[in-house]
Amino acid sequence: MALFQLILILILSSCMAQDEDIMTPVVNIYSEIKEIKASINRLTMDLNTANNELAEQNSLIEELQKQIKESPKVAFTASMSATESTNRGPFSTETKLIFDKVLTNIANAYDPVTVFTAPVKGVYYFRYSGSAFSSHDMGLSVFKGTTQFVSSYKYNSGERNDQMASGAVMELEVGEEVHMRLWIRSWIFVGQHYNYSTYTGYLLYPLDSTSV
Ligand SMILES: *[C@@H]1O[C@H](CO)[C@@H](O)[C@H](O)[C@H]1NC(C)=O
């Protein structure tokens, strides 16, 4: 009996000793601090990288804002003026149409006496509309310099109003001119109050003048 008790005590005490080790593991405070230091270093490096990227992106945003602000803005719409409802044409030759009633002229690139002249190299959009003088033919073209670009034509279709419109995207160099022409022996209606016949253009986007 005494032996059995002794063995039991031995087993129990050895278990308790093991339990104590498991319950309170030895913490090496120095290696913990070392690890914490290392992760602080990593975090600091990450933060620096993030800050640098942020600074780069901020300067990029500033640059883009500047570009948007400084990018040229060109847009116009013009119609034709008349003291009473009348027509332009017919002429015995194809004739430049003067849209003298300026409704919008951003950056003043449109000259109502002459033509539109591209102030910057870029891609432009032009649109025109023509109201037909009843019982007459109407032919309209938009010219890029001396080149006919797009046209529209209608035959005399009787006593009624006809309206036509067309447009084109053009790539223009600085100083290139774009104007409208009325075809030979054709008519265009000019209302006194109604801006039926119009010529519109605007810069879609500028092109780098150094690029080919
Ligand atoms: C025509 O343009 C003038 C601006 O010159 C404007 O006052 C008028 O309302 C326009 N007429 C029509 C019918 O759109």
Side-chain angles (χ1 to χ4, degrees):
M1 194 61 181
L3 182 65
F4 173 74
Q5 275 178 335
L6 186 68
I7 288 169
L8 195 65
I9 285 164
L10 275 174
I11 288 170
L12 278 175
S13 69
S14 90
C15 276
M16 274 169 74
Q18 255 183 18
D19 268 356
E20 221 150 74
D21 268 0
I22 289 162
M23 294 308 282
T24 54
V26 176
V27 174
N28 185 337
I29 195 108
Y30 296 106
S31 71
E32 287 292 311
I33 289 173
K34 221 174 134 186
E35 253 177 53
I36 290 169
K37 267 189 175 171
S39 48
I40 287 174
N41 279 346
R42 277 197 305 276
L43 288 173
T44 309
M45 270 162 65
D46 286 353
L47 192 64
N48 281 343
T49 312
N51 278 343
N52 287 345
E53 276 169 13
L54 193 64
E56 253 174 53
Q57 299 199 354
N58 278 345
S59 69
L60 188 67
I61 287 170
E62 257 172 46
E63 176 68 25
L64 289 174
Q65 277 173 334
K66 205 175 130 209
Q67 271 180 29
I68 290 168
K69 211 174 148 209
E70 287 172 4
S71 100
K73 290 161 187 78
V74 182
F76 73 89
T77 287
S79 182
M80 288 185 279
S81 63
T83 48
E84 57 187 39
S85 289
T86 182
N87 58 286
R88 300 274 197 275
F91 304 113
S92 56
T93 54
E94 196 178 74
T95 302
K96 184 200 258 182
L97 269 180
I98 302 295
F99 290 77
D100 59 332
K101 189 173 171 184
V102 178
L103 304 180
T104 306
N105 198 0
I106 311 295
N108 288 314
Y110 180 72
D111 184 338
V113 180
T114 54
V115 280
F116 174 78
T117 307
V120 292
K121 178 177 174 162
V123 176
Y124 292 78
Y125 179 70
F126 294 92
R127 182 189 184 276
Y128 64 84
S129 71
S131 187
F133 199 72
S134 69
S135 308
H136 294 287
D137 299 349
M138 176 171 62
L140 295 172
S141 296
V142 63
F143 273 69
K144 180 183 189 269
T146 54
T147 312
Q148 201 164 7
F149 212 82
V150 292
S151 303
S152 31
Y153 190 80
K154 76 151 221 81
Y155 289 100
N156 160 23
S157 56
E159 293 290 329
R160 58 179 225 195
N161 268 344
D162 282 314
Q163 186 80 15
M164 67 187 184
S166 186
V169 169
M170 293 185 200
E171 199 179 320
L172 299 178
E173 298 292 333
V174 178
E176 264 196 285
E177 296 180 343
V178 178
H179 71 274
M180 293 291 308
R181 279 174 179 257
L182 181 67
W183 286 19
I184 184 170
R185 282 185 292 277
S186 78
W187 307 55
I188 185 169
F189 178 69
V190 185
Q192 187 183 352
H193 303 295
Y194 301 89
N195 314 308
Y196 286 136
S197 303
T198 58
Y199 176 37
T200 286
Y202 53 87
L203 174 66
L204 280 175
Y205 54 89
L207 292 172
D208 187 355
S209 51
T210 54
S211 71
V212 264

mmCIF file of all heavy atoms in Angstrom, residues 91-109:
data_model
loop_
_atom_site.group_PDB
_atom_site.id
_atom_site.type_symbol
_atom_site.label_atom_id
_atom_site.label_comp_id
_atom_site.label_asym_id
_atom_site.label_seq_id
_atom_site.Cartn_x
_atom_site.Cartn_y
_atom_site.Cartn_z
ATOM 1 N N PHE A 91 -26.509 82.203 -107.289
ATOM 2 C CA PHE A 91 -25.354 82.864 -107.890
ATOM 3 C C PHE A 91 -24.891 82.052 -109.094
ATOM 4 O O PHE A 91 -25.143 80.833 -109.164
ATOM 5 C CB PHE A 91 -24.216 82.984 -106.875
ATOM 6 C CG PHE A 91 -24.613 83.700 -105.591
ATOM 7 C CD1 PHE A 91 -24.668 83.014 -104.379
ATOM 8 C CD2 PHE A 91 -24.918 85.064 -105.597
ATOM 9 C CE1 PHE A 91 -25.033 83.659 -103.201
ATOM 10 C CE2 PHE A 91 -25.284 85.718 -104.409
ATOM 11 C CZ PHE A 91 -25.340 85.014 -103.210
ATOM 12 N N SER A 92 -24.221 82.701 -109.990
ATOM 13 C CA SER A 92 -23.790 82.013 -111.220
ATOM 14 C C SER A 92 -22.535 81.179 -110.990
ATOM 15 O O SER A 92 -22.113 80.442 -111.881
ATOM 16 C CB SER A 92 -23.561 83.040 -112.330
ATOM 17 O OG SER A 92 -22.631 83.999 -111.878
ATOM 18 N N THR A 93 -21.951 81.311 -109.809
ATOM 19 C CA THR A 93 -20.818 80.440 -109.449
ATOM 20 C C THR A 93 -21.029 79.955 -108.012
ATOM 21 O O THR A 93 -21.815 80.550 -107.268
ATOM 22 C CB THR A 93 -19.463 81.195 -109.482
ATOM 23 O OG1 THR A 93 -19.597 82.344 -108.655
ATOM 24 C CG2 THR A 93 -19.054 81.584 -110.884
ATOM 25 N N GLU A 94 -20.337 78.914 -107.693
ATOM 26 C CA GLU A 94 -20.349 78.449 -106.306
ATOM 27 C C GLU A 94 -19.819 79.600 -105.434
ATOM 28 O O GLU A 94 -18.793 80.186 -105.781
ATOM 29 C CB GLU A 94 -19.419 77.244 -106.214
ATOM 30 C CG GLU A 94 -19.599 76.427 -104.976
ATOM 31 C CD GLU A 94 -18.677 75.230 -104.992
ATOM 32 O OE1 GLU A 94 -17.461 75.441 -104.786
ATOM 33 O OE2 GLU A 94 -19.152 74.115 -105.221
ATOM 34 N N THR A 95 -20.501 79.892 -104.344
ATOM 35 C CA THR A 95 -20.183 81.107 -103.588
ATOM 36 C C THR A 95 -20.010 80.825 -102.098
ATOM 37 O O THR A 95 -20.793 80.075 -101.509
ATOM 38 C CB THR A 95 -21.307 82.154 -103.782
ATOM 39 O OG1 THR A 95 -21.426 82.424 -105.178
ATOM 40 C CG2 THR A 95 -21.005 83.450 -103.051
ATOM 41 N N LYS A 96 -19.002 81.457 -101.564
ATOM 42 C CA LYS A 96 -18.770 81.321 -100.125
ATOM 43 C C LYS A 96 -19.950 81.915 -99.362
ATOM 44 O O LYS A 96 -20.402 83.021 -99.663
ATOM 45 C CB LYS A 96 -17.486 82.064 -99.766
ATOM 46 C CG LYS A 96 -17.091 81.907 -98.305
ATOM 47 C CD LYS A 96 -16.136 83.004 -97.899
ATOM 48 C CE LYS A 96 -14.701 82.581 -97.820
ATOM 49 N NZ LYS A 96 -13.816 83.657 -97.372
ATOM 50 N N LEU A 97 -20.456 81.163 -98.396
ATOM 51 C CA LEU A 97 -21.578 81.657 -97.592
ATOM 52 C C LEU A 97 -21.047 82.340 -96.345
ATOM 53 O O LEU A 97 -20.228 81.774 -95.625
ATOM 54 C CB LEU A 97 -22.479 80.497 -97.165
ATOM 55 C CG LEU A 97 -23.644 80.122 -98.072
ATOM 56 C CD1 LEU A 97 -24.414 78.964 -97.467
ATOM 57 C CD2 LEU A 97 -24.575 81.310 -98.329
ATOM 58 N N ILE A 98 -21.517 83.540 -96.113
ATOM 59 C CA ILE A 98 -21.099 84.267 -94.922
ATOM 60 C C ILE A 98 -22.183 84.129 -93.854
ATOM 61 O O ILE A 98 -23.312 84.573 -94.039
ATOM 62 C CB ILE A 98 -20.854 85.764 -95.254
ATOM 63 C CG1 ILE A 98 -19.799 85.918 -96.354
ATOM 64 C CG2 ILE A 98 -20.445 86.518 -94.005
ATOM 65 C CD1 ILE A 98 -18.408 85.455 -96.000
ATOM 66 N N PHE A 99 -21.825 83.476 -92.784
ATOM 67 C CA PHE A 99 -22.748 83.368 -91.632
ATOM 68 C C PHE A 99 -22.380 84.513 -90.692
ATOM 69 O O PHE A 99 -21.482 84.392 -89.869
ATOM 70 C CB PHE A 99 -22.603 82.009 -90.955
ATOM 71 C CG PHE A 99 -23.137 80.874 -91.789
ATOM 72 C CD1 PHE A 99 -22.416 80.375 -92.860
ATOM 73 C CD2 PHE A 99 -24.371 80.313 -91.504
ATOM 74 C CE1 PHE A 99 -22.923 79.325 -93.641
ATOM 75 C CE2 PHE A 99 -24.882 79.270 -92.273
ATOM 76 C CZ PHE A 99 -24.166 78.780 -93.350
ATOM 77 N N ASP A 100 -23.061 85.633 -90.855
ATOM 78 C CA ASP A 100 -22.637 86.867 -90.187
ATOM 79 C C ASP A 100 -23.284 87.070 -88.816
ATOM 80 O O ASP A 100 -22.873 87.936 -88.068
ATOM 81 C CB ASP A 100 -22.939 88.075 -91.089
ATOM 82 C CG ASP A 100 -24.419 88.178 -91.416
ATOM 83 O OD1 ASP A 100 -25.101 87.127 -91.439
ATOM 84 O OD2 ASP A 100 -24.906 89.299 -91.636
ATOM 85 N N LYS A 101 -24.315 86.252 -88.513
ATOM 86 C CA LYS A 101 -25.002 86.435 -87.229
ATOM 87 C C LYS A 101 -24.396 85.462 -86.215
ATOM 88 O O LYS A 101 -24.781 84.291 -86.149
ATOM 89 C CB LYS A 101 -26.486 86.159 -87.418
ATOM 90 C CG LYS A 101 -27.360 86.498 -86.247
ATOM 91 C CD LYS A 101 -28.814 86.314 -86.676
ATOM 92 C CE LYS A 101 -29.792 86.416 -85.538
ATOM 93 N NZ LYS A 101 -31.163 86.134 -86.040
ATOM 94 N N VAL A 102 -23.453 85.974 -85.454
ATOM 95 C CA VAL A 102 -22.703 85.106 -84.537
ATOM 96 C C VAL A 102 -23.504 84.887 -83.256
ATOM 97 O O VAL A 102 -23.875 85.847 -82.580
ATOM 98 C CB VAL A 102 -21.325 85.735 -84.220
ATOM 99 C CG1 VAL A 102 -20.567 84.861 -83.233
ATOM 100 C CG2 VAL A 102 -20.529 85.908 -85.506
ATOM 101 N N LEU A 103 -23.790 83.638 -82.966
ATOM 102 C CA LEU A 103 -24.554 83.313 -81.753
ATOM 103 C C LEU A 103 -23.618 82.935 -80.605
ATOM 104 O O LEU A 103 -23.868 83.262 -79.459
ATOM 105 C CB LEU A 103 -25.541 82.183 -82.041
ATOM 106 C CG LEU A 103 -26.530 82.422 -83.188
ATOM 107 C CD1 LEU A 103 -27.451 81.233 -83.370
ATOM 108 C CD2 LEU A 103 -27.356 83.686 -82.949
ATOM 109 N N THR A 104 -22.571 82.224 -80.941
ATOM 110 C CA THR A 104 -21.567 81.821 -79.945
ATOM 111 C C THR A 104 -20.202 81.898 -80.607
ATOM 112 O O THR A 104 -20.054 81.507 -81.770
ATOM 113 C CB THR A 104 -21.812 80.363 -79.478
ATOM 114 O OG1 THR A 104 -23.153 80.237 -79.021
ATOM 115 C CG2 THR A 104 -20.867 79.967 -78.358
ATOM 116 N N ASN A 105 -19.233 82.416 -79.875
ATOM 117 C CA ASN A 105 -17.892 82.498 -80.460
ATOM 118 C C ASN A 105 -16.837 82.446 -79.351
ATOM 119 O O ASN A 105 -16.256 83.451 -78.974
ATOM 120 C CB ASN A 105 -17.754 83.777 -81.295
ATOM 121 C CG ASN A 105 -16.575 83.714 -82.259
ATOM 122 O OD1 ASN A 105 -15.854 82.721 -82.303
ATOM 123 N ND2 ASN A 105 -16.376 84.782 -83.014
ATOM 124 N N ILE A 106 -16.616 81.245 -78.825
ATOM 125 C CA ILE A 106 -15.638 81.054 -77.759
ATOM 126 C C ILE A 106 -14.239 81.110 -78.369
ATOM 127 O O ILE A 106 -13.971 80.418 -79.346
ATOM 128 C CB ILE A 106 -15.838 79.689 -77.050
ATOM 129 C CG1 ILE A 106 -17.298 79.439 -76.659
ATOM 130 C CG2 ILE A 106 -14.900 79.544 -75.849
ATOM 131 C CD1 ILE A 106 -17.889 80.365 -75.629
ATOM 132 N N ALA A 107 -13.399 81.952 -77.805
ATOM 133 C CA ALA A 107 -12.007 82.140 -78.237
ATOM 134 C C ALA A 107 -11.891 82.917 -79.550
ATOM 135 O O ALA A 107 -10.796 83.109 -80.074
ATOM 136 C CB ALA A 107 -11.268 80.814 -78.358
ATOM 137 N N ASN A 108 -13.047 83.394 -80.074
ATOM 138 C CA ASN A 108 -13.048 84.248 -81.267
ATOM 139 C C ASN A 108 -12.296 83.670 -82.461
ATOM 140 O O ASN A 108 -11.669 84.408 -83.219
ATOM 141 C CB ASN A 108 -12.485 85.633 -80.933
ATOM 142 C CG ASN A 108 -13.454 86.447 -80.095
ATOM 143 O OD1 ASN A 108 -14.651 86.498 -80.392
ATOM 144 N ND2 ASN A 108 -12.966 87.040 -79.025
ATOM 145 N N ALA A 109 -12.364 82.364 -82.620
ATOM 146 C CA ALA A 109 -11.690 81.754 -83.774
ATOM 147 C C ALA A 109 -12.552 81.880 -85.018
ATOM 148 O O ALA A 109 -12.068 81.702 -86.127
ATOM 149 C CB ALA A 109 -11.384 80.287 -83.499
#
